[in-house]
């Protein structure tokens, strides 16, 4: 295989067998974190710390004062993948077995009208 720079590198395929499960796989039942989209650097920190604290789902909520650029940052396909990747990295870093879900954004009127949450 070539690495794009003209250098050749070797790739090894490894098969692994689980002999003993150290702890059971928990269900993802953590609290949901609903937040108004914020600037990208702060959003990364929010996702990281929320994951470390056990959030089960992240739900951006668009309010009257939400910056439209923040909405695009959360909902764009490329950015959504990037934020999901950051959540996965945070889960791996804190050795969490579940990965929180990043939902698409809701508006604040929906949240007020549905106080029991999403189903």
């Amino acid at each position: 295989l070539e690495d794009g720079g003209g250098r050749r590198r070797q790739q090894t395929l490894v098969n692994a067998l689980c002999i003993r499960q150290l702890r059971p796989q928990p269900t993802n039942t953590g609290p949901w974190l609903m937040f108004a989209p914020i600037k990208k650097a702060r959003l990364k920190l929010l996702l990281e710390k929320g994951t470390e604290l056990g959030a089960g789902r992240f739900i951006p909520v668009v309010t009257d004062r939400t910056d439209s650029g923040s909405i695009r940052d959360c909902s764009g396909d490329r950015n959504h993948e990037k934020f999901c990747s950051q959540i996965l990295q945070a889960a791996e870093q804190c050795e969490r077995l579940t990965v929180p879900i990043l939902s698409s954004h809701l508006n604040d009127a929906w949240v007020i009208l549905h106080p029991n949450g999403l189903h």
Side-chain angles (χ1 to χ4, degrees), residues 35-49 66-84 86-87 102:
F35 62 95
I38 53 180
K39 293 182 180 181
K40 205 180 295 189
R42 302 250 188 244
L43 181 57
K44 181 180 177 183
L45 182 66
L46 181 136
L47 296 174
E48 179 182 317
K49 295 305 175 189
T66 301
D67 178 32
S68 61
S70 298
I71 298 168
R72 284 192 303 272
D73 287 347
C74 274
S75 60
D77 288 339
R78 197 175 98 238
N79 285 327
H80 190 271
E81 288 177 17
K82 188 186 261 185
F83 292 138
C84 287
Q86 290 168 350
I87 291 170
L102 177 59

Side-chain angles (χ1 to χ4, degrees), residues 20-39:
R20 180 172 57 106
Q21 184 178 13
L22 298 178
R23 58 184 174 174
Q25 177 72 33
T27 57
N28 196 1
T29 58
W32 293 0
L33 179 59
M34 301 177 101
F35 62 95
I38 53 180
K39 293 182 180 181

Side-chain angles (χ1 to χ4, degrees), residues 42-114:
R42 302 250 188 244
L43 181 57
K44 181 180 177 183
L45 182 66
L46 181 136
L47 296 174
E48 179 182 317
K49 295 305 175 189
T51 300
E52 291 172 1
L53 292 171
R57 180 181 296 253
F58 293 100
I59 306 170
V61 178
V62 179
T63 65
D64 291 337
R65 297 183 180 197
T66 301
D67 178 32
S68 61
S70 298
I71 298 168
R72 284 192 303 272
D73 287 347
C74 274
S75 60
D77 288 339
R78 197 175 98 238
N79 285 327
H80 190 271
E81 288 177 17
K82 188 186 261 185
F83 292 138
C84 287
S85 174
Q86 290 168 350
I87 291 170
L88 178 61
Q89 289 173 3
E92 289 173 351
Q93 181 69 25
C94 66
E95 298 181 1
R96 182 175 165 169
L97 295 180
T98 60
V99 179
I101 298 165
L102 177 59
S103 300
S104 56
H105 67 276
L106 301 173
N107 63 27
D108 57 349
W110 190 95
V111 174
I112 293 168
L113 293 173
H114 299 84

